[in-house]
Amino acid sequence: NAGVMQNPRHLVRRRGQEARLRCSPMKGHSHVYWYRQLPEEGLKFMVYLQKENIIDESGMPKERFSAEFPKEGPSILRIQQVVRGDSAAYFCASSPALLASNEQFFGPGTRLTVL
Amino acid sequence: AQSVTQLGSHVSVSEGALVLLRCNYSSSVPPYLFWYVQYPNQGLQLLLKYTTGATLVKGINGFEAEFKKSETSFHLTKPSAHMSDAAEYFCAVSEQTGANNLFFGTGTRLTVIP
């Protein structure tokens, strides 16, 4: 049973370019969460999605960031016009619909470097 | 509002010594509590979790943590450190109902000295 998969594992972009980060949840999981980890910091919640719905985006920057989790395919975190401050590790986590403990299963992360 | 405080961003112990990593939380309602471990350039792996019931929780790799409601703490311990325990450890909380997202502490980097 494959775990949460993220790709790419490393992404380098120049300022002003777009970054697309992909997350495939564990089989049977319909809830996806995105977190950002800045250097030397803990993970900060960004967005929580279920299939075709954004449930909570309270941690998402208001501009340039968007997320989706389509009916088919992986969840995508999209960052437009990247800036150096976007350099971070972006982690995706997933959970099944009815897991009472709120336990989340994390992917290996995508490390974004903005030059 | 939820928040997590991990005292000590860096902890060093000798191999075979007791490991104690501290975590305090603030929450308006009893939370779920988690400890995750992160090895370099990897994702987070769940060590243990507290939801309800017994307040002493045993996890993987010999780690355990005790939920103390009166102290709003969930400290992580291991009786005898192993070299392979060197990693970053994160304490996290979530609400039992409502929001599902996790609130993380800033992490404690554990170094094990041979």
Side-chain angles (χ1 to χ4, degrees):
Chain A
N1 185 16
V4 178
M5 302 183 71
Q6 290 187 249
N7 68 81
R9 294 290 306 276
H10 300 273
L11 182 62
V12 179
R13 285 288 179 264
R14 296 189 181 280
R15 281 180 297 169
Q17 292 183 319
E18 178 179 286
R20 279 181 178 249
L21 288 60
R22 294 175 183 78
C23 169
S24 296
M26 286 181 70
K27 187 176 181 180
H29 288 194
S30 58
H31 295 211
V32 166
Y33 311 80
W34 285 93
Y35 294 83
R36 176 166 63 177
Q37 184 181 30
L38 294 169
E40 304 300 321
E41 294 187 15
L43 280 72
K44 295 286 195 302
F45 167 76
M46 298 181 75
V47 63
Y48 163 39
L49 310 101
Q50 295 177 18
K51 283 286 187 181
E52 300 185 278
N53 286 305
I54 296 175
I55 306 303
D56 180 357
E57 56 181 348
S58 58
M60 286 275 273
K62 294 289 184 266
E63 298 178 349
R64 302 186 298 108
F65 285 72
S66 62
E68 62 178 9
F69 189 18
K71 186 177 181 180
E72 301 292 337
S75 176
I76 306 287
L77 179 67
R78 183 183 178 203
I79 312 173
Q80 296 178 289
Q81 300 175 339
V82 295
V83 300
R84 289 221 174 103
D86 297 333
S87 294
Y90 292 82
F91 290 95
C92 168
S94 72
S95 68
L98 299 177
L99 192 64
S101 67
N102 289 353
E103 180 181 346
Q104 297 173 18
F105 299 81
F106 283 81
T110 293
R111 280 155 182 83
L112 172 66
T113 301
V114 179
L115 301 178
Chain B
Q2 309 260 359
S3 68
V4 178
T5 301
Q6 290 184 242
L7 286 176
S9 58
H10 292 83
V11 170
S12 293
V13 300
S14 298
E15 190 175 14
L18 171 72
V19 176
L20 171 60
L21 305 182
R22 299 178 186 276
C23 173
N24 289 86
Y25 68 90
S26 66
S27 175
S28 56
V29 297
Y32 292 143
L33 296 156
F34 306 83
W35 275 99
Y36 284 87
V37 61
Q38 183 182 32
Y39 296 99
N41 297 317
Q42 294 187 28
L44 277 70
Q45 179 183 4
L46 182 69
L47 274 178
L48 48 79
K49 64 184 179 185
Y50 169 80
T51 54
T52 59
T55 56
L56 182 62
V57 180
K58 294 188 184 299
I60 62 171
N61 301 339
F63 284 93
E64 61 183 37
E66 187 171 9
F67 169 54
K68 292 187 176 181
K69 185 178 179 181
S70 61
E71 299 177 8
T72 60
S73 68
F74 191 56
H75 301 330
L76 181 71
T77 60
K78 181 174 180 177
S80 177
H82 191 273
M83 295 299 294
S84 61
D85 294 327
E88 187 98 23
Y89 292 80
F90 291 97
C91 181
V93 303
S94 74
E95 292 181 1
Q96 290 192 17
T97 58
N100 290 46
N101 51 291
L102 297 173
F103 292 84
F104 284 86
T106 52
T108 298
R109 186 177 303 276
L110 176 66
T111 300
V112 181
I113 303 167

